[in-house]
Amino acid sequence: MKKRLYPRLAWQGIRKNGKIYFPYLAACIFVVMVYYLIGFLSSDPVIREMEGGAQMQIILSLGTGVMGIFSVIFLFYTNSFLMKRRKKELGLYHVLGMDRKNIAVVLIWENLMTAGISLGGGILGGILFSKLGQLAMIYLLGGKADFSFSINSDILIRTLKTYGVIFLLLLAYRILQIFRTRPLDLLKSESLGERPPRANWLSAILGAVLLGAAYGMAVTVKEPVTIIWLFFVAVLMVIGATYLLFMAGSVTLCKVLKKNKKYYYKTNHFVSLSSMMFRMKRNGAGLASICILSTMVLVMVSGTVSLFLGTEDSLRSRYPRNLVVNTPSLEDGVVSQVNQIVEGALEKYGVREENVLHYRQLVMSGMAEGNQMILDYANKGEFSYTEYENIRQIMVVPVEDYNQIMGTDETLDRQEVLVCNTKTDWQENYQELILEGLGTWKIKDQVEFVDNGIDAMQIIPTTYLFVSDVSVMEEMYQSYPKAGEQFEFWNYYGTDLDCSDETQSLIAQEISAGLQSLGEQDPAFSATTVECVGAERMDFYSTYAGLFFLGILLGIVFLLGMVLIMYYKQVSEGYEDQSRFEILQKVGMTEREIRKSVNSQVLTVFFMPLIWAGIHTAFAFPMIYRLLQLFSLHNMWLLIGITGGCFLGFGLVYVLMYLLTSKSYYKIVRGGNFSSRRQRG
């Protein structure tokens, strides 16, 4: 009989607390399902065998790690809401004769049931939706669907292991709480710690300073190398500042509002503000979590959608022309033979060149220090990561080629240069440029230049130096002692082709075959690179489609987490305020006044996370845009439009959640008493 008692109590505990348990179970089922689904798609042989499928699966494989980490944080956080509501019930068990070991057994059964329902429902849902996910991936890759159905046993076992460990950790945490809490405290758990908090000005000021510093980084930093690591630093600073401001700053806000007599001494504000002051420090963490999750959804969805919709722009930025041939030589004989091979391939397939982009360049690298470029920076030994941000790729181009491409008529003296910088504003305020070992050069002007694709695929910025003629480039090469090790001549040729991707690929293969035969006699031919948009298009689309799919899926997961935290926050506060409003009702407060007080309380804090999420996203926008530039996306207006659209859509969902959760809160706080009063009336 005793053996049946524990599972029955466990099931009754779940069923009777369905208002808080069923959303938790639904969330558990969903995260398990998404974990299996991402794992299945990242290892599915059908997707791997498709063109571009392997690249997409590399992107998706990152999602399993993100889901695992998020699940631990999210489930532990929501579990705290469950335990808060259950402690009083568990304390009652203790009063009725159960010791801590008996209560632990009830929790074990409860955890087994929760884990069984979550794992069973999640894996079943993952298996059922795996085919739909596979079809979505095939559609994004432009492949052909089949009607096969499979279950990945390895991913299934990995899912069981991962979430089995998580549920074991949750069980250990629950039992530890029971053994560390006195029975009397369990019974009073819902009212413990309810004393007016002090306004912590130091924490609020620290949060404001952290947030200001993070915003400053996002707006001012422009170096690509710096952005990569500062982005994560800024994210951590924003998270810390958000928690400090919501936990300490919200208390401070309540104190300030209380001192405002015109605001405070109104029926709806007086009651709502008095209730909030007792719990703002504790519930500030919940509001901060909602804000952070909201920001993550906005940034992730807007970024990945922008990349996917801007794939063609990124592709053209990486490959400015359909066909690009780079020859590591400026010798007329070598260049003419390469041109003959290209012309022969185009003639063979009946395609003419269009929008030809051709220029000669001397390529080197250096480290910027003020208006000086250190070319032999490798001899400095090891340098710090912050120094690495000063590395530049330098491309010296004759002004003749610049004029031909840009349609200008610039002239330069032998010691004059035109400067063009990408990804940085270096040299913007200098009149002279010192090249180590190559003298001092007068900067005539800062100019613009076309993308060459090489700069687009690199993290480090590029500095173009346009000189008077090719002889200056040759003098640079001959006068620099280590030119053979550090300098390279390249002849860049690019052209658009009015033909299909398949024909473009065949032309590129024809040119590569011709260069390979010549390369046996001359290394310059074997080192010549041939790039073709038609051959690379699918790799681009598969990579960005993988990011898009993963971004949408994780965005939905984070949105679910935010919604559940919002729901639990409203429900828990509703139960806390129920007794207060019953007392106020007995002393004459009407239903209308209670409803106004409820709306005042909810509105005062509910939209704070949405507003701050919008502010976070707005300040993060410059840094996000520069990060996307590293993926060759330069369409700012596309990112602005999608980010704005995401915020409006997210705002509508947020308002909907406000209407639903405020209704749940109101039903709880009125406790059915108003309907009984109407009947008596």
Side-chain angles (χ1 to χ4, degrees):
M1 187 70 180
K2 191 175 181 180
K3 292 182 179 179
R4 297 179 181 178
L5 176 63
Y6 295 127
R8 188 164 64 248
L9 287 175
W11 176 246
Q12 286 179 354
I14 294 174
R15 185 172 56 83
K16 290 181 179 179
N17 293 280
K19 186 172 288 188
I20 60 171
Y21 242 113
F22 293 154
Y24 173 75
L25 287 172
C28 290
I29 290 171
F30 186 77
V31 294
V32 172
M33 181 188 74
V34 172
Y35 185 89
Y36 174 85
L37 182 61
I38 295 176
F40 174 85
L41 295 175
S42 64
S43 59
D44 182 30
V46 175
I47 297 175
R48 188 185 306 118
E49 292 172 3
M50 297 179 61
E51 185 180 359
Q55 287 84 352
M56 183 178 280
Q57 287 186 328
I58 292 173
I59 300 297
L60 286 175
S61 62
L62 301 174
T64 54
V66 174
M67 274 302 303
I69 295 171
F70 174 78
S71 296
V72 172
I73 299 171
F74 173 65
L75 294 181
F76 266 87
Y77 188 86
T78 52
N79 177 71
S80 65
F81 287 98
L82 290 175
M83 285 303 296
K84 182 182 176 185
R85 290 295 305 163
R86 295 299 313 285
K87 279 181 179 179
K88 186 174 181 180
E89 180 183 337
L90 297 175
L92 185 60
Y93 289 161
H94 200 288
V95 171
L96 294 175
M98 284 189 174
D99 58 17
R100 287 186 173 92
K101 292 182 180 179
N102 298 134
I103 296 175
V105 175
V106 174
L107 290 178
I108 290 172
W109 274 103
E110 195 173 298
N111 197 72
L112 285 173
M113 292 175 182
T114 304
I117 294 171
S118 302
L119 291 172
I123 289 175
L124 179 61
I127 291 172
L128 292 176
F129 281 95
S130 62
K131 186 62 183 179
L132 183 62
Q134 185 190 71
L135 292 174
M137 302 296 279
I138 292 172
Y139 173 78
L140 291 174
L141 291 173
K144 294 182 179 179
D146 58 22
F147 297 97
S148 62
F149 186 84
S150 62
I151 298 174
N152 192 318
S153 58
D154 292 336
I155 299 299
L156 192 150
I157 293 172
R158 190 205 303 173
T159 304
L160 290 173
K161 287 181 178 179
T162 300
Y163 285 91
V165 170
I166 292 175
F167 281 111
L168 281 175
L169 292 173
L170 287 172
L171 174 61
Y173 178 68
R174 288 182 175 187
I175 292 176
L176 183 63
Q177 282 187 303
I178 296 301
F179 276 88
R180 292 180 60 182
T181 309
R182 295 183 303 170
L184 185 61
D185 291 339
L186 288 174
L187 287 171
K188 296 182 178 180
S189 61
E190 292 185 11
S191 58
L192 283 176
E194 292 198 354
R195 56 177 60 92
R198 295 180 178 178
N200 193 333
W201 288 98
L202 182 61
S203 296
I205 293 171
L206 178 60
V209 171
L210 278 175
L211 193 62
Y215 285 172
M217 286 184 195
V219 174
T220 59
V221 176
K222 297 181 179 180
E223 300 295 336
V225 177
T226 309
I227 285 174
I228 293 175
W229 69 274
L230 276 187
F231 176 78
F232 297 101
V233 174
V235 167
L236 293 175
M237 291 174 67
V238 167
I239 291 174
T242 302
Y243 276 97
L244 285 172
L245 287 173
F246 273 91
M247 293 173 69
S250 55
V251 175
T252 305
L253 175 64
C254 288
K255 293 281 187 179
V256 172
L257 291 176
K258 185 179 179 181
K259 292 180 180 179
N260 187 338
K261 295 181 179 180
K262 292 183 179 180
Y263 178 90
Y264 184 60
Y265 290 108
K266 290 184 179 180
T267 306
N268 53 329
H269 294 161
F270 176 82
V271 176
S272 62
L273 191 59
S274 298
S275 299
M276 286 191 296
M277 284 181 63
F278 281 94
R279 58 166 175 262
M280 278 309 291
K281 187 175 181 180
R282 171 164 46 86
N283 282 0
L287 292 171
S289 299
I290 294 170
C291 179
I292 294 300
L293 286 171
S294 301
T295 307
M296 290 172 66
V297 171
L298 290 170
V299 171
M300 181 175 295
V301 173
S302 61
T304 54
V305 171
S306 297
L307 278 175
F308 181 69
L309 296 181
T311 302
E312 200 62 36
D313 289 340
S314 301
L315 186 65
R316 179 54 91 178
S317 178
R318 171 61 185 88
Y319 303 102
R321 298 294 185 266
N322 294 136
L323 178 68
V324 175
V325 180
N326 263 310
T327 305
S329 175
L330 298 185
E331 295 181 13
D332 292 338
V334 174
V335 173
S336 63
Q337 289 187 70
V338 172
N339 290 341
Q340 289 176 9
I341 293 174
V342 172
E343 291 171 1
L346 295 177
E347 185 177 351
K348 178 179 179 179
Y349 289 93
V351 179
R352 291 185 300 177
E353 58 183 19
E354 300 175 353
N355 302 322
V356 175
L357 179 62
H358 172 245
Y359 57 89
R360 297 154 291 177
Q361 57 187 342
L362 176 63
V363 180
M364 62 187 84
S365 64
M367 178 182 289
E369 291 185 358
N371 69 330
Q372 184 178 12
M373 187 69 75
I374 309 300
L375 301 180
D376 195 17
Y377 61 90
N379 282 339
K380 293 181 63 176
E382 295 185 7
F383 46 88
S384 65
Y385 191 78
T386 54
E387 287 182 301
Y388 187 75
E389 71 185 28
N390 296 320
I391 301 297
R392 303 283 184 272
Q393 177 179 244
I394 305 169
M395 295 185 177
V396 185
V397 179
V399 73
E400 175 189 357
D401 294 355
Y402 170 81
N403 287 332
Q404 184 180 9
I405 294 169
M406 304 302 293
T408 57
D409 190 24
E410 295 281 355
T411 57
L412 296 170
D413 294 335
R414 292 193 70 81
Q415 288 300 120
E416 280 187 329
V417 293
L418 298 173
V419 178
C420 172
N421 289 300
T422 66
K423 306 187 183 89
T424 181
D425 56 3
W426 178 73
Q427 282 289 333
E428 194 172 79
N429 300 318
Y430 294 112
Q431 300 298 318
E432 291 183 337
L433 169 64
I434 302 172
L435 293 175
E436 180 195 31
L438 298 177
T440 301
W441 302 75
K442 181 181 177 182
I443 299 176
K444 183 178 180 180
D445 198 4
Q446 299 277 341
V447 296
E448 299 291 331
F449 194 53
V450 294
D451 293 327
N452 66 353
I454 300 173
D455 173 65
M457 69 178 181
Q458 294 189 0
I459 297 176
I460 62 174
T462 297
T463 295
Y464 291 94
L465 299 177
F466 302 102
V467 296
S468 58
D469 53 45
V470 177
S471 65
V472 174
M473 296 162 54
E474 293 174 343
E475 286 180 10
M476 287 181 172
Y477 189 90
Q478 293 169 3
S479 62
Y480 194 75
K482 296 184 178 180
E485 302 173 19
Q486 297 177 311
F487 292 7
E488 289 182 318
F489 282 111
W490 286 91
N491 184 79
Y492 182 95
Y493 166 84
T495 181
D496 283 331
L497 304 175
D498 187 15
C499 58
S500 65
D501 287 350
E502 183 179 358
T503 304
Q504 289 180 29
S505 300
L506 292 173
I507 292 172
Q509 293 172 13
E510 183 78 17
I511 295 171
S512 297
L515 293 171
Q516 186 176 358
S517 61
L518 292 176
E520 297 175 359
Q521 292 85 26
D522 190 337
F525 293 104
S526 60
T528 299
T529 61
V530 182
E531 296 177 329
C532 171
V533 170
E536 303 294 338
R537 187 185 303 276
M538 185 51 68
D539 284 344
F540 257 70
Y541 271 91
S542 60
T543 300
Y544 292 169
L547 288 170
F548 169 75
F549 187 87
L550 186 60
I552 296 297
L553 206 55
L554 292 179
I556 294 173
V557 171
F558 295 153
L559 183 63
L560 173 70
M562 183 203 73
V563 168
L564 195 59
I565 292 173
M566 291 165 64
Y567 174 78
Y568 278 145
K569 180 181 178 298
Q570 294 290 68
V571 169
S572 62
E573 290 183 5
Y575 282 118
E576 290 176 6
D577 291 344
Q578 189 178 40
S579 59
R580 297 190 185 99
F581 280 103
E582 285 178 358
I583 295 171
L584 290 170
Q585 180 189 344
K586 290 177 182 178
V587 298
M589 196 172 188
T590 65
E591 179 180 358
R592 183 180 179 184
E593 289 172 334
I594 289 180
R595 185 181 290 275
K596 287 178 66 178
S597 178
V598 168
N599 288 334
S600 173
Q601 179 171 328
V602 174
L603 284 171
T604 301
V605 297
F606 201 84
F607 284 94
M608 286 171 58
L610 178 63
I611 294 170
W612 276 105
I615 295 172
H616 288 345
T617 305
F619 275 96
F621 183 88
M623 186 172 280
I624 295 169
Y625 175 63
R626 293 187 186 100
L627 283 172
L628 294 181
Q629 284 182 310
L630 300 179
F631 289 87
S632 302
L633 180 67
H634 299 277
N635 193 336
M636 178 183 287
W637 289 109
L638 174 67
L639 181 59
I640 291 174
I642 290 175
T643 303
C646 286
F647 184 77
L648 290 176
F650 182 80
L652 290 175
V653 174
Y654 201 94
V655 171
L656 179 62
M657 286 310 305
Y658 159 71
L659 296 174
L660 294 175
T661 55
S662 62
K663 187 178 293 185
S664 299
Y665 176 88
Y666 182 70
K667 286 181 179 179
I668 293 171
V669 297
R670 74 177 185 174
N673 293 320
F674 295 126
S675 57
S676 61
R677 285 180 64 185
R678 288 196 190 97
Q679 290 173 3
R680 288 197 302 270

